[in-house]
Amino acid sequence: MSAREALIVGPDGRARCSWVGDDEEYRRYHDEEWGAPLHGDHKLFEKIMLEAFQAGLSWITILRRRDGIRDAFDHFDAATIAAYGDADVTRLLDDPRIIRNRLKVSAAITNARATLELCQDSPGALDTLLWSFAPAPRTKRPSALSDIPATTEESTAMSKALNARGFRFVGPTTMYALMQSAGMVDDHLEGCWRVA
């Protein structure tokens, strides 16, 4: 893929990473969120939940359901989710606004409990842990989608660290997507208007 094919020009005349396509929600996400540094235990717990629900699906599916997922899961409040029981699982599996996968719903509850355990006596611990795996900035910006890895040494280490603390659905590929989404890495392609 040439550098020109790696970018797509939107209706506003701005060149963007080509994965955006012509979807308005993808454009907004690309322009406002993807690659922007994100901090805070609550916000990063939300990212872990959304990335776990995304596993095996397209990200646009999650973006289109994010408000429903947020509402169904008590606005990603880890303490509330950690207290969910069987009735909550049944309620969630009947809710068409979310990804109705029992393993992913169970992982959300497990991850909420792991987040509480990690942060209970140390507010900011999830933020500190995740950002400790942020790699040094690249010396060369990617010019094609093929230049962007699916996993890295850092995302693999992050995955192992989270698994060791009881988190689930946090594999290396999922964690690299989180690193991109939360701005731990900036994979906007050369020529994208978002490049600083």
Side-chain angles (χ1 to χ4, degrees):
M1 175 180 282
S2 70
R4 173 169 282 178
E5 292 168 325
L7 301 173
I8 188 168
V9 177
D12 57 3
R14 288 178 165 167
R16 291 177 175 85
C17 304
S18 61
W19 58 262
V20 172
D22 62 0
D23 189 280
E24 186 176 334
E25 181 60 19
Y26 254 171
R27 274 196 302 274
R28 187 211 58 75
Y29 174 72
H30 170 275
D31 292 357
E32 298 173 14
E33 295 184 56
W34 196 69
L38 181 70
H39 286 280
D41 292 338
H42 182 262
K43 291 177 181 178
L44 290 168
F45 172 65
E46 175 179 342
K47 289 287 185 189
I48 288 173
M49 277 193 59
L50 293 175
E51 294 292 351
F53 274 111
Q54 186 271 335
L57 302 171
S58 67
W59 184 242
I60 194 63
T61 299
I62 302 305
L63 285 180
R64 290 181 178 148
R65 294 184 184 211
R66 179 163 53 175
D67 288 342
I69 295 169
R70 180 180 288 122
D71 186 52
F73 281 91
D74 290 289
H75 298 271
F76 303 111
D77 181 78
T80 302
I81 297 167
Y84 282 179
D86 292 343
D88 295 291
V89 172
T90 299
R91 168 185 61 84
L92 290 163
L93 292 175
D94 286 338
D95 193 329
R97 299 173 299 168
I98 73 163
I99 306 303
R100 293 182 286 181
N101 177 301
R102 183 176 294 278
L103 292 176
K104 292 179 179 183
V105 168
S106 295
I109 298 167
T110 297
N111 291 348
R113 292 172 181 161
T115 297
L116 279 188
E117 186 173 332
L118 178 65
C119 299
Q120 188 167 4
D121 296 325
S122 299
L126 182 62
D127 185 301
T128 299
L129 176 66
L130 295 181
W131 276 90
S132 73
F133 296 100
R138 284 191 179 98
T139 56
K140 186 176 186 303
R141 182 167 293 283
S143 59
L145 295 177
S146 60
D147 295 336
I148 299 172
T151 64
T152 62
E153 182 179 313
E154 293 87 359
S155 74
T156 300
M158 179 189 285
S159 172
K160 288 179 181 175
L162 289 171
N163 271 305
R165 287 167 174 80
F167 287 82
R168 298 294 172 256
F169 274 89
V170 289
T173 301
T174 300
M175 289 302 93
Y176 190 72
L178 181 144
M179 295 173 92
Q180 292 173 305
S181 179
M184 296 171 195
V185 295
D186 179 359
D187 280 339
H188 286 285
L189 301 177
E190 189 64 45
C192 174
W193 81 270
R194 282 288 316 278
V195 173

